[in-house]
Amino acid sequence: MIVIGISSGTSVDAIDAAAADLDLRADGTLHLRPLGHTEYPWPDHLRRRILAALPPAPVDMGEVCQLDTLIGQELGAAARRAVDDLAGGDADLVASHGQTLHHWVVAGRTRGTLQLGNPAWVAERSRRPVVSDFRVADVAAGGQGAPLVSILDALWLGHDGEAAARDSAALNVGGIANVTVVGAHDAPVLGWDTGPGNCLVDHAVQRLTGRPFDRDGELAAQGAVDREALDALLGEPYYDLPVPRSTGRELYDGEYVATRLAAAGLGADRLSTADLVATLTELTAVTVARSLAEHGPAAGVGRVVISGGGARNPVLVERLRAHLPATTGLVTSDELGMPVDGKEAYLFALLGFLGVHGVPGTAAGPQRRQATGARRPVVLGSLTPPTPLPVDPVRGAVRRLVLATSPPDHLAASRHLTTPRGSSR
């Protein structure tokens, strides 16, 4: 089955798309052949409206209705283009994450989550059935609803239980940074949001320079970390919550840094632009490393596999290396066959495939819960239109994911890979 995955992250800079050819074998091995990934920019006027509707902005229901329609239309146009650009016109299904507008968390527990982009528009424009609304079922079952990537990480990075094998930590640095700790196949995994990824850096760079992000860590490399400011930011209570946990722009909004520094008696104007960016980059590196040390295995992890826009920021990568134990390697997902910039879109292609086959989309976690904290495994997503697809039922567990990284010959010429964007996601 060929599935188009489309998603848009908290930076709202582009719609990410990926095409995956998925084949589930009788032994429970799921083969995923990446056919290519790309991005389609949001129209400027729509991106501005989406950003203006994000927390803490008050939004009326008329705007919510309009955004749900306009985002759906744009996602549908992107899906239609991706069918041709990435899959040579041959795709069976679209998996659309939508655009998160709000992730409702109270005292560490997710109460609700809202992604806009009505799937009827995606189905109409792509002329394909659509799986959407992936997060709510997990929340209803007591889970965080985020991050959802633990199922991909568990199937992909789990080892065979060799005595010398060490756990892996899959780290995605988008607007928010999240990790999944993976051990042996079929062993429990745990995933959580560590804190800010690129969102605070991106906001500072956009506000102070007009640039979209700190390309190649250029500003961070010119600045020096302000230790007082860093300590004030590290005092955030979120970092003391148990895992699994999740967060978003509801906490790390455009006023967050100024508010935290002011509460510590520090003026935001005490830092130059370069020093502020260096400090916020350090914040991401420190919170990731500390979170792994506090909540990961006692023996540490053998490697951290990094993906997302932050993997393109050499300053952030260097600071991560500095804070991780010397016995922990740091590699990009590219090196293991999963495109750094395409992992999220491939995730939703995977979740769409699992959903239409009736397979739960969350990995088993500790204490008889799921990796998200849910009480039980649930099938994620809803199908539009609600007509069963002609797929064979899955009668056994999906046990592992194998990446086949060479596209079929007839798609090789049309394969479209995105160019590195720096740290915008």
Side-chain angles (χ1 to χ4, degrees):
M1 173 180 280
I2 296 178
V3 184
I4 303 295
I6 53 175
S7 66
S8 175
T10 53
S11 58
V12 201
D13 60 340
I15 298 168
D16 293 324
D21 188 354
L22 293 128
D23 178 25
L24 181 59
R25 309 289 172 85
D27 65 356
T29 301
L30 179 58
H31 288 252
L32 186 156
R33 184 186 298 276
L35 303 181
H37 67 282
T38 190
E39 62 180 31
Y40 302 108
W42 286 102
D44 287 342
H45 69 280
L46 181 54
R47 181 174 186 267
R48 287 194 296 271
R49 286 181 68 173
I50 295 171
L51 290 172
L54 293 175
V59 182
D60 65 43
M61 292 307 297
E63 181 68 356
V64 171
C65 178
Q66 292 179 39
L67 285 174
D68 192 39
T69 296
L70 295 172
I71 293 170
Q73 291 172 344
E74 201 62 35
L75 293 175
R80 175 63 260 183
R81 291 178 63 185
V83 169
D84 294 329
D85 293 346
L86 304 177
D90 181 17
D92 303 294
L93 180 72
V94 172
S96 175
H97 170 256
Q99 177 66 57
T100 296
L101 265 287
H102 196 86
H103 192 65
W104 180 26
V105 180
V106 179
R109 178 184 173 188
T110 301
R111 302 297 182 92
T113 186
L114 178 65
Q115 288 73 45
L116 296 187
N118 194 287
W121 287 106
V122 182
E124 176 65 23
R125 297 206 168 184
S126 67
R127 298 295 182 178
R128 301 293 191 282
V130 176
V131 182
S132 63
D133 201 16
F134 290 97
R135 299 187 185 274
V136 175
D138 183 71
V139 175
Q144 291 286 333
L148 293 180
V149 72
S150 58
I151 185 70
L152 187 159
D153 295 330
L155 294 173
W156 172 41
L157 296 176
H159 59 74
D160 291 323
E162 303 92 340
R166 298 181 65 194
D167 292 358
S168 296
L171 168 65
N172 187 73
V173 185
I176 299 296
N178 62 70
V179 295
T180 309
V181 176
V182 182
H185 282 295
D186 297 328
V189 304
L190 191 61
W192 70 95
D193 287 340
T194 61
N198 303 315
C199 62
L200 297 181
V201 172
D202 288 351
H203 178 78
V205 171
Q206 291 162 13
R207 180 173 61 86
L208 296 171
T209 73
R211 305 177 199 171
F213 56 89
D214 186 20
R215 185 179 295 277
D216 297 326
E218 179 182 348
L219 284 169
Q222 297 171 11
V225 174
D226 185 304
R227 295 296 166 182
E228 285 188 87
L230 179 63
D231 288 343
L233 295 170
L234 287 171
E236 166 59 51
Y238 176 77
Y239 307 128
D240 296 324
L241 293 176
V243 299
R245 65 188 186 212
S246 60
T247 188
R249 280 191 181 234
E250 298 73 29
L251 176 60
Y252 298 106
D253 62 25
E255 303 303 318
Y256 174 82
V257 173
T259 300
R260 289 291 308 175
L261 294 183
L266 304 174
D269 56 357
R270 66 180 265 136
L271 281 75
S272 68
T273 296
D275 288 352
L276 177 60
V277 173
T279 302
L280 296 177
T281 302
E282 184 77 357
L283 176 68
T284 295
V286 170
T287 51
V288 167
R290 286 187 180 180
S291 197
L292 273 173
E294 292 171 4
H295 303 293
V301 296
R303 63 181 177 180
V304 172
V305 182
I306 185 172
S307 61
R312 304 294 190 190
N313 182 330
V315 176
L316 175 59
V317 170
E318 187 276 328
R319 296 311 300 153
L320 278 169
R321 288 189 195 278
H323 289 291
L324 290 171
T327 55
T328 297
L330 180 61
V331 300
T332 67
S333 63
D334 276 339
E335 296 174 65
L336 302 181
M338 178 65 74
V340 160
D341 299 313
K343 186 181 177 186
E344 286 284 300
Y346 280 116
L347 164 66
F348 288 105
L350 169 65
L351 292 178
F353 176 89
L354 295 177
V356 296
H357 285 84
V359 177
T362 54
Q367 300 178 342
R368 301 180 66 182
R369 294 229 167 194
Q370 297 304 104
T372 59
R375 295 180 295 273
R376 62 185 182 88
V378 291
V379 177
L380 303 182
S382 301
L383 182 64
T384 304
T387 302
L389 293 180
V391 297
D392 295 328
V394 174
R395 303 191 183 281
V398 179
R399 299 192 178 281
R400 68 177 65 217
L401 179 71
V402 174
L403 296 180
T405 55
S406 298
D409 291 342
H410 74 284
L411 288 173
S414 64
R415 190 181 188 194
H416 185 184
L417 299 181
T418 187
T419 54
R421 288 195 306 248
S423 63
S424 62
R425 293 182 65 76

